[in-house]
Amino acid sequence: MTISLTTLAGERAELSPEDLQAFKAGFRGPVLAPGDPAYDDTRQIWNAMIDRRPGLIVRCTGSVDVLQAMRFARQHRLLLSVRGGGHHIAGLAVCDGGLMIDLSPMRGVWVDAAQRIAHAQAGCTLADVDRETQQHGLAAVLGFVSQTGIAGLTVGGGFGYLTRRHGWTCDNLVSMEVVTADAQLVRASADENADLFWALRGGSGNFGIVTSFEYRLHPVGPEILGGAIAWHGDDTLQVLDAYREFSARAPRELTSVAVLRTAPPAPWLPKAVHGQPIAAIFVCHTGAIDAGEALLAPLRALGQPVADIVTRRPYTQMQALLDATQPKGRRYYWKSHYLPQVSRPLAETVAAHARRAVSPHSAILLFQIGGALNELPLAHSPAGNRDAAYVLNIAGSWEKPQDDAANMAWARECFEATRAHSTGGTYVNFLTEDDGAERVDAAYGADNLARLAALKRRFDPDNVFRHTKSVLR
Ligand SMILES: Cc1cc2nc3c(=O)[nH]c(=O)nc-3n(C[C@H](O)[C@H](O)[C@H](O)COP(=O)(O)OP(=O)(O)OC[C@H]3O[C@@H](n4cnc5c(N)ncnc54)[C@H](O)[C@@H]3O)c2cc1C
């Protein structure tokens, strides 16, 4: 059977059965065409708003498969997309008509506990890495939802409960193995291909396909003090006032996330509040347990919480605490800003918009990230944004296509109403499909963007990695 694929020029390339057979002979993983039983499952990613149909999906089992896929793409000048964990909200992992290079079967992790280093293949989820590193009481700086892919998260920056202590995820990279646009397998580190290493620490998918990451690890847990405290939505302003004071004074071992939303039917929340507005604060203290207990006591004593599940728990459990709120297959639309602080006027604005959320699954989140990342110079990596102290994410989440417009309008209105409180920066990994050049510019700032654009012309002159948030201007 002849396979028709979209090329970089937007034309159709007809691949003969012989072309396909020649490729398959050098490729170890499954190769899926439309109509194959596993094709639909594999093209579907976390955000159900994305419904694209690649011409061919190649499921890589290792670096050589990625290399072979890249050679094949070059040979036929194919449009391509790269899938790590498939969690980018804009659906960058899946292209229409082209070649989807899927790294999600590549989930090996090797830990060198003595050197405090982990090597992780690029298809890993955060949970895969935490599982292996926590066996040694170590952790990489990763994100807040354990099913997210490490690849997109790391090459876009990355923040989570350890960011206040150790900076962006990409600030903690030692090296990467990369398949380049000209189909070479290279290592990128501070000493080897240093420009490529710089570009891949925030420049997202524009510069190559990372096949594995080498992370610097830090002692964490395995038991930490963490969980969440929730109050009724009527108390939101009081809770956000307390959050402002509490988070500003908190040592870096303590990270907190404020969440405004409708209470889901979660077992940790009493039935009486299900469906009611709540304000919750998720906390994770990775220092000594008794120090954490003392630090958290005033917050836990605030007003009349409707639930409090702060306790000693495995760090891996903490890392998965928000998972149930972000299932694969719902419709999602986000807007976000970096913030220098959580001011009273900002709190009033987000509290009012949280009340007006169209869907019970939607939430407004404030992630505390200030600390180590602020101490590095802006030019350290394209992840930049060294003035950010919090991330505001207005996270629309709903089920039916007919509700798209109302939910997207809600997120956009809250975004515009909070714009004046932003640092002006934003996170490239939270940009939706309709966030264009202006928001990418905001994610990088003029100097880092100019350097990225120059490096893009050098490392990817044909713009092979174009199914991403473009840094070319
Ligand atoms: C529920 C949820 C929670 C999140 N929480 C956090 C959080 O706490 N902290 C945080 O920092 N971010 C968070 N994010 C954002 C996250 O960082 C991005 O969605 C990121 O793209 C996820 O990586 P992925 O591998 O799953 O992405 P994919 O969708 O697979 O890929 C996204 C893009 O990344 C690039 N890419 C993927 N794999 C590779 C590779 N191997 N080499 C080079 N480029 C590649 C490509 O351009 C690709 O198009 C969250 C996202 C979701 C959906």
Side-chain angles (χ1 to χ4, degrees):
M1 189 177 75
T2 299
I3 300 265
S4 177
L5 284 161
T6 303
T7 66
L8 286 172
E11 293 159 355
R12 305 301 293 172
E14 306 298 328
L15 297 191
S16 66
E18 293 75 28
D19 288 333
L20 198 57
Q21 206 41 51
F23 168 66
K24 282 183 175 173
F27 192 85
R28 200 157 59 120
V31 175
L32 307 173
D36 283 342
Y39 172 85
D40 274 326
D41 260 4
T42 313
R43 75 180 179 87
Q44 263 150 21
I45 50 168
W46 169 78
N47 186 359
M49 296 275 276
I50 309 299
D51 184 22
R52 302 201 190 105
R53 306 183 68 81
L56 202 64
I57 302 175
V58 293
R59 307 207 71 204
C60 303
T61 60
S63 303
V64 175
D65 273 358
V66 180
L67 196 55
Q68 293 290 56
M70 197 63 221
R71 287 183 182 138
F72 178 65
R74 270 172 65 83
Q75 183 190 349
H76 298 283
R77 299 195 56 76
L78 300 177
L79 174 72
L80 64 87
S81 64
V82 180
R83 180 193 159 130
H87 265 57
H88 200 293
I89 181 118
L92 299 173
V94 198
C95 59
D96 250 334
L99 179 72
M100 176 170 156
I101 302 178
D102 179 11
L103 276 71
S104 64
M106 293 169 51
R107 295 174 64 172
V109 182
W110 296 266
V111 178
D112 181 337
Q115 297 297 320
R116 293 187 178 165
I117 292 288
H119 290 265
Q121 284 185 304
C124 286
T125 62
L126 312 193
D128 295 333
V129 177
D130 283 335
R131 176 182 159 85
E132 299 296 328
T133 57
Q134 277 290 279
Q135 181 64 27
H136 307 279
L138 297 169
V141 177
L142 297 171
F144 292 94
V145 173
S146 78
Q147 305 109 335
T148 313
I150 61 164
L153 181 135
T154 306
V155 296
F159 64 87
Y161 287 118
L162 303 178
T163 292
R164 299 199 63 221
R165 295 179 73 175
H166 306 295
W168 300 124
T169 302
C170 67
D171 292 339
N172 292 273
L173 275 174
V174 179
S175 73
M176 289 168 263
E177 186 188 70
V178 188
V179 171
T180 57
D182 57 354
Q184 303 295 315
L185 185 65
V186 303
R187 185 169 180 270
S189 71
D191 310 319
E192 219 175 325
N193 298 304
D195 282 343
L196 184 60
F197 185 59
W198 184 85
L200 279 164
R201 286 179 297 137
S204 193
N206 283 290
F207 293 92
I209 309 177
V210 180
T211 54
S212 69
F213 296 92
E214 183 182 5
Y215 293 110
R216 196 175 307 123
L217 304 178
H218 307 279
V220 173
E223 239 187 10
I224 52 89
L225 183 72
I229 312 154
W231 294 263
H232 193 276
D234 291 346
D235 301 329
T236 296
L237 278 180
Q238 192 194 353
V239 171
L240 289 180
D241 284 343
Y243 179 66
R244 175 184 323 115
E245 300 299 322
F246 164 81
S247 58
R249 279 201 310 269
R252 291 181 184 180
E253 290 75 19
L254 181 54
T255 293
S256 51
V257 183
V259 183
L260 312 181
R261 58 166 297 155
T262 303
W268 71 281
L269 292 164
K271 279 206 171 72
V273 296
H274 293 177
Q276 303 274 313
I278 53 164
I281 299 183
F282 285 73
V283 291
C284 175
H285 182 265
T286 53
I289 300 274
D290 50 355
E293 274 164 355
L295 283 164
L296 287 168
L299 187 66
R300 302 175 78 181
L302 176 76
Q304 292 187 309
V306 295
D308 180 343
I309 53 161
V310 176
T311 186
R312 295 171 80 113
R313 62 174 80 236
Y315 177 68
T316 48
Q317 198 184 80
M318 185 75 221
Q319 285 286 85
L321 223 53
L322 283 163
D323 285 12
T325 64
Q326 307 293 324
K328 179 179 172 185
R330 272 202 203 130
R331 304 178 80 76
Y332 294 97
Y333 183 82
W334 294 353
K335 296 301 262 185
S336 68
H337 300 290
Y338 286 128
L339 307 175
Q341 60 183 347
V342 178
S343 66
R344 188 58 164 33
L346 173 97
E348 287 170 5
T349 306
V350 292
H353 278 86
R355 285 289 184 141
R356 294 206 287 274
V358 183
S359 161
H361 305 309
S362 295
I364 296 177
L365 301 105
L366 290 156
F367 298 93
Q368 187 187 12
I369 56 168
L373 77 86
N374 307 118
E375 288 165 353
L376 288 165
L378 186 61
H380 179 75
S381 68
N385 289 285
R386 303 288 170 184
D387 53 352
Y390 296 86
V391 185
L392 168 64
N393 195 21
I394 306 146
S397 166
W398 65 100
E399 278 158 2
K400 299 195 179 96
Q402 58 266 38
D403 298 329
D404 287 1
N407 282 283
M408 290 163 75
W410 169 77
R412 287 183 187 133
E413 279 162 21
C414 183
F415 170 74
E416 290 303 337
T418 50
R419 199 190 266 270
H421 303 281
S422 168
T423 61
T426 191
Y427 184 29
V428 71
N429 274 347
F430 282 2
L431 296 183
T432 48
E433 228 182 330
D434 58 3
D435 280 320
E438 180 224 346
R439 294 306 286 160
V440 180
D441 293 357
Y444 292 120
D447 291 350
N448 281 346
L449 185 69
R451 187 169 169 194
L452 282 172
L455 291 173
K456 175 76 176 174
R457 289 187 193 97
R458 183 171 137 206
F459 290 117
D460 185 13
D462 297 331
N463 196 13
V464 167
F465 302 115
R466 66 181 62 181
H467 211 267
T468 181
K469 291 292 176 188
S470 177
V471 295
L472 287 173
R473 294 290 175 273

